[in-house]
Amino acid sequence: MGIEEKLPSGVLLTTVEGVAGYMRKASFWPATFGLACCAIEMMTSGGPKYDLARFGMEVFRASPRQADLMIVAGRVSQKMAPVLRQIYDQMPEPKWVLAMGVCASSGGMFNNYAIVQGVDHVVPVDMYLPGCPPRPEMLIDAILKLHDQVQQTKLGPNRAREVEERENAALRALPTSEMRGLLR
């Protein structure tokens, strides 16, 4: 009862976007951007017990020019934010960002002037992973959910429009220095 019996004459029809999405999701090359304790959990997920290689992520890339997924693991300081943005800008398109941990997602318990209150003030984020620190299983689950998003990604001018909208939304976000009250 294989796929050959389900398809007439062995023909399978799909779209170019469908094939490209399938190939992209099966070959993520993450950039290492570990800033705090979440980085230990990110490194553990690449080890033999959790084995991210099962999902096409064998090697964490040290060069942003070879990566298409940035995992921001830990708190981002105001001094580190321009470096994060520069690394993001050096990554080739298409690129995705996963904010790992509550510090990267929202600043965490560090509600002060030195820590960026959410990495989405610096780069557009595709997936948020809560936890302090999140377990490797949670990271793998977030990556698998990101795989589903990547498979549905548009190509060409549709993708460019989508990226531009996300980028503009990130740039319109209120700077943390201007936030007042309990939200700060």
Side-chain angles (χ1 to χ4, degrees), residues 35-38 73-78 100-118 131-133 176 179 182-184:
L35 298 169
C37 44
C38 291
R75 60 190 175 270
V76 179
S77 66
Q78 296 287 354
M100 181 178 178
V102 70
C103 293
S105 299
S106 66
M109 65 194 95
F110 304 100
N111 189 5
N112 60 34
Y113 66 92
I115 304 298
V116 175
Q117 300 298 304
C132 184
T176 56
M179 291 182 180
L182 294 175
L183 295 177
R184 183 172 173 200

Side-chain angles (χ1 to χ4, degrees), residues 34-132:
L35 298 169
C37 44
C38 291
I40 302 298
E41 301 295 327
M42 179 178 67
M43 289 181 247
T44 303
S45 65
K49 183 174 181 182
Y50 298 101
D51 194 22
L52 275 175
R54 294 178 290 168
F55 308 108
M57 300 176 62
E58 288 84 11
V59 181
F60 281 86
R61 300 293 168 181
S63 170
R65 290 175 181 87
Q66 298 175 347
D68 55 4
L69 170 65
M70 176 186 280
I71 301 174
V72 182
R75 60 190 175 270
V76 179
S77 66
Q78 296 287 354
K79 283 187 171 184
M80 187 57 76
V83 176
L84 173 76
R85 183 61 199 205
Q86 181 180 8
I87 291 173
Y88 176 80
D89 289 338
Q90 289 176 352
M91 291 171 60
E93 286 288 342
K95 53 190 167 188
W96 296 275
V97 177
L98 192 149
M100 181 178 178
V102 70
C103 293
S105 299
S106 66
M109 65 194 95
F110 304 100
N111 189 5
N112 60 34
Y113 66 92
I115 304 298
V116 175
Q117 300 298 304
V119 74
D120 54 353
H121 290 282
V122 183
V123 294
V125 176
D126 297 292
M127 181 70 64
Y128 294 93
L129 175 59
C132 184

